[in-house]
Amino acid sequence: MANFNFQVTPSGGNPIFEPAVAVNLLNPSIMVAVATDTTSGVPQTGLYRSVNGGATWTNTLLPLPAGFAGAEAAVVAYAFPNTFYVSAHAFPGNSDGTTFVYISTDNGQTFGSPILVGPGYGTYINNDETNVLADNGQASPFLGNVYVSYNHQFNVANNSNSVAFLNRSTDGGATWDQPTLLSSPTTQVERPDMAIDLVGNLYACWITVTPPFNFFVRTSLDGGATFGNLC
């Protein structure tokens, strides 16, 4: 089987990093990728789209939320039948790091205005390392639920600690529930992540970076409403 390497982002210029990609499961020719794009001189969310299975790509920048000066840590997810979600960490400077979500219902051709998910507050709360996931489980009773996880950093100005947070939307990303605290507030975490199985069970995980170093998973059997014990 032949292997092909396709260039997604433009050549030259300032760095483009932290990539993520999603594919339309009903039409795999349609692909949407995101990355932290500094071609304009400040970090923004680069959006790259292909309609021919990755052979060629168009590129643009998602608009920053009003009052914010940069964005990073973007992730993209697909939902039936033609929706793509992009989560990102935006900041107006060295404070107020906030998680937003952008939504496209036309296979990534256009995206709506950023929707607030997890607000930051000064140098006290910063929501970073975002992730977004939609429930596409073929036998899931929660089909269409959308989940965003992030590293919720607090006391940022004084040797910050961090916990894993998760927000849920049951209306296609229009509104978001209050966040669920997944991890213990006494440990410092990194890289919260999520996965969904065929029947809609949601698995949230993260690592701790304070001794003892561990990898944790919590499971939700009710579409993200509640989570079981750490394992």
Side-chain angles (χ1 to χ4, degrees), residues 8-10 14-22 31-50 57-65 70-77 84-90 102 108-109 111:
V8 176
T9 60
N14 293 337
I16 299 172
F17 52 96
E18 295 182 320
V21 65
M31 309 170 70
V32 174
V34 292
T36 301
D37 191 318
T38 64
T39 56
S40 68
V42 299
Q44 295 187 68
T45 300
L47 183 81
Y48 318 98
R49 181 173 182 263
S50 175
W57 296 79
T58 58
N59 63 87
T60 187
L61 296 172
L62 289 177
L64 290 168
E72 62 177 359
V75 174
V76 59
F84 285 88
Y85 297 94
V86 173
S87 65
H89 165 237
Y102 302 78
Q109 293 186 69
F111 280 81

Side-chain angles (χ1 to χ4, degrees), residues 107-121:
N107 275 321
Q109 293 186 69
T110 59
F111 280 81
S113 300
I115 297 171
L116 175 66
V117 176
Y121 295 98

Side-chain angles (χ1 to χ4, degrees), residues 126 129 151-154 159-164 181 183-190 207 209:
N126 178 56
E129 299 175 5
N151 185 341
H152 179 86
Q153 303 166 354
F154 54 94
N159 299 318
S160 64
N161 202 0
S162 59
V163 291
L181 172 62
S183 62
S184 168
T186 63
T187 59
Q188 187 167 348
V189 312
E190 290 286 348
I207 59 173
V209 293

Side-chain angles (χ1 to χ4, degrees), residues 134-202:
D135 189 341
N136 294 315
Q138 291 92 321
S140 173
F142 314 109
L143 186 72
N145 273 11
V146 189
Y147 307 99
V148 168
S149 64
Y150 48 91
N151 185 341
H152 179 86
Q153 303 166 354
F154 54 94
N155 294 329
V156 179
N158 295 303
N159 299 318
S160 64
N161 202 0
S162 59
V163 291
F165 267 23
L166 181 141
N167 287 50
R168 178 185 71 161
S169 175
T170 59
D171 58 8
T175 61
W176 294 84
D177 295 346
Q178 289 295 311
T180 296
L181 172 62
L182 297 171
S183 62
S184 168
T186 63
T187 59
Q188 187 167 348
V189 312
E190 290 286 348
R191 303 297 172 185
D193 204 347
M194 302 170 290
I196 297 174
D197 65 18
L198 297 181
V199 296
N201 295 323
L202 173 64

Side-chain angles (χ1 to χ4, degrees), residues 68-141:
F68 286 76
E72 62 177 359
V75 174
V76 59
Y78 164 77
F80 294 125
N82 52 16
T83 297
F84 285 88
Y85 297 94
V86 173
S87 65
H89 165 237
F91 41 88
N94 295 323
S95 64
D96 297 299
T98 297
T99 296
F100 288 92
V101 164
Y102 302 78
I103 304 173
S104 170
T105 57
D106 56 7
N107 275 321
Q109 293 186 69
T110 59
F111 280 81
S113 300
I115 297 171
L116 175 66
V117 176
Y121 295 98
T123 59
Y124 289 92
I125 293 178
N126 178 56
N127 296 314
D128 199 358
E129 299 175 5
T130 74
N131 202 352
V132 61
L133 182 67
D135 189 341
N136 294 315
Q138 291 92 321
S140 173

Side-chain angles (χ1 to χ4, degrees), residues 187-188 206-216:
T187 59
Q188 187 167 348
W206 61 92
I207 59 173
T208 58
V209 293
T210 48
F213 306 106
N214 288 303
F215 178 90
F216 287 105

